[in-house]
Amino acid sequence: MSGQILTGKEVATKIKQEVKIELEKIKEKGINPKLVAIQVGENSSSQVYLNAQKKNCQTMGILHEVKNLEPDISESELINFIEEMNKDKSVTGIILQLPLPQGMDVRKIQSRISPEKDVEGVNPANLGWIVYGRPLLAPCTALAVKELIYSTGVDLYGKEVVMVGHSDIVGKPVALLLVDKFATVCICHIGTSDKGMLEQHVKRAEILIVAVGKAHLIKGEWIKEGSIVIDVGINKLNDKIVGDVEFETAKEHAGWITPVPGGVGPITTAVLLRNTIIAAKLTSCL
Ligand code: NAD
């Protein structure tokens, strides 16, 4: 058996089409979304992300501005700058580019982004809405994973889901989003591997999601026949970008599997645009 390849392209295109329609509607009502990306110092990998972000916004017709701040800015100065952006009525969405300079408390600073302008869903209030089962502005990657699973048409009710990775913006929110659809969710992490239990958990997953950042951590033979495999990981291996799952062997067992690159990534970008529209609506209702 060879699994269907779940490329993000189709789902991403559909989301972008919906965003375009919604954008036209809110522009007619006088709301003009503007996304501000705050970049502290320079970072080549976040620059790539920034350029893509700008291009996507421009193509869609969403204003995008990058605010470059000096690398030696203090934490309180950065928070003050965020507060300024929170108050600026022309700004409807804020992204704080990571990484921040060493020593800065990322979570503390993210918590100062106004929840209504928090297009990446990293403010504790937005993460809290997921716990309530009422996601408003949830982390883009977590939503992208959910969209991919939905695109298979599989009913989540009672399904055995194994989420490998428990980060605040991927693993934990994905687990919460799926448990609210009554999936049976198990979260694995480094402790699971250290106890030698990862293979055992992965083998019974009807839906497997992996967000770790270790090339080929998940062996192809561990994949349950007919399962859905969503690989969030991005790793460089011998000058190639690969995921956390051994794709070639895994696809022989999976029913559906995402490639890396080209799976989760394109949907994450589309979801960011959708969140930008939601944020613009929320801020204009203030
Ligand atoms: P993270 O780096 O914050 O955390 C890694 C997680 O993996 C932790 O839960 C840790 O306990 C677990 N882990 C580490 N080693 C492990 C092992 N040997 N066995 C089992 N679990 C182990 O995670 P993150 O920020 O969610 O990023 C994970 C990966 O996803 C990275 O490769 C990142 O680049 C990628 N990512 C991709 C997108 C996208 O849009 N495609 C978005 C965000 C992150």
Side-chain angles (χ1 to χ4, degrees):
M1 177 178 176
S2 191
Q4 292 182 47
I5 310 300
L6 257 183
T7 66
K9 217 173 154 196
E10 216 171 286
V11 182
T13 306
K14 188 168 163 273
I15 295 173
K16 283 182 181 175
Q17 281 165 351
E18 288 163 3
V19 167
K20 205 158 185 69
I21 294 168
E22 208 48 37
L23 181 63
E24 278 164 20
K25 277 193 205 160
I26 63 169
K27 278 190 174 175
E28 274 172 22
K29 289 184 184 157
I31 303 168
N32 199 10
K34 177 176 169 184
L35 186 56
V36 160
I38 304 171
Q39 162 101 315
V40 183
E42 277 184 22
N43 180 286
S44 57
S45 58
S46 94
Q47 194 58 47
V48 174
Y49 177 58
L50 255 180
N51 293 342
Q53 209 183 82
K54 196 174 193 73
K55 196 171 150 232
N56 273 298
C57 283
Q58 283 169 344
T59 311
M60 191 57 68
I62 295 172
L63 297 171
H64 184 277
E65 193 181 334
V66 181
K67 301 279 190 187
N68 287 298
L69 305 183
E70 293 299 323
D72 57 355
I73 191 170
S74 70
E75 200 170 285
S76 60
E77 285 170 328
L78 177 55
I79 288 173
N80 286 341
F81 187 80
I82 290 173
E83 301 283 5
E84 261 179 54
M85 295 298 104
N86 287 343
K87 284 187 205 130
D88 187 333
K89 286 201 159 53
S90 73
V91 176
T92 60
I94 300 171
I95 292 184
L96 180 65
Q97 295 296 140
L98 299 183
L100 292 177
Q102 268 204 333
M104 283 202 180
D105 184 341
V106 177
R107 292 289 177 262
K108 180 180 158 194
I109 299 167
Q110 286 175 327
S111 76
R112 303 302 287 268
I113 300 172
S114 157
E116 292 81 9
K117 296 190 180 185
D118 173 32
V119 293
E120 289 194 304
V122 291
N123 180 294
N126 284 323
L127 292 167
W129 281 112
I130 306 175
V131 177
Y132 284 178
R134 290 161 63 189
L136 202 58
L137 283 168
C140 304
T141 310
L143 290 174
V145 169
K146 195 187 82 172
E147 293 284 352
L148 269 168
I149 296 171
Y150 279 17
S151 76
T152 65
V154 166
D155 183 8
L156 278 161
Y157 199 87
K159 280 275 176 332
E160 287 279 347
V161 174
V162 173
M163 173 71 239
V164 188
H166 80 308
S167 67
D168 295 345
I169 58 150
V170 186
K172 287 184 206 166
V174 163
L176 286 168
L177 288 168
L178 301 183
V179 89
D180 268 333
K181 300 294 168 201
F182 297 97
T184 307
V185 184
C186 162
I187 306 180
C188 300
H189 39 64
I190 186 70
T192 321
S193 277
D194 285 349
K195 281 272 185 187
M197 298 295 284
L198 187 63
E199 175 179 350
Q200 190 177 315
H201 286 292
V202 169
K203 277 187 163 168
R204 59 178 175 70
E206 294 174 282
I207 301 175
L208 174 72
I209 306 128
V210 192
V212 169
K214 288 201 171 130
H216 300 166
L217 171 74
I218 307 295
K219 306 299 164 212
E221 314 88 69
W222 298 356
I223 303 299
K224 191 179 175 74
E225 293 301 320
S227 61
I228 300 174
V229 178
I230 312 285
D231 192 350
V232 183
I234 302 172
N235 312 285
K236 216 170 185 180
L237 187 70
N238 307 326
D239 287 330
K240 264 183 75 184
I241 300 293
V242 299
D244 291 343
V245 179
E246 272 183 353
F247 182 80
E248 288 306 324
T249 35
K251 84 172 186 323
E252 298 306 317
H253 302 282
W256 291 269
I257 184 166
T258 57
V260 177
V264 178
I267 307 184
T268 304
T269 315
V271 169
L272 175 69
L273 296 171
R274 188 170 66 191
N275 275 0
T276 303
I277 302 297
I278 297 171
K281 286 193 201 168
L282 289 170
T283 47
S284 54
C285 289
L286 287 178

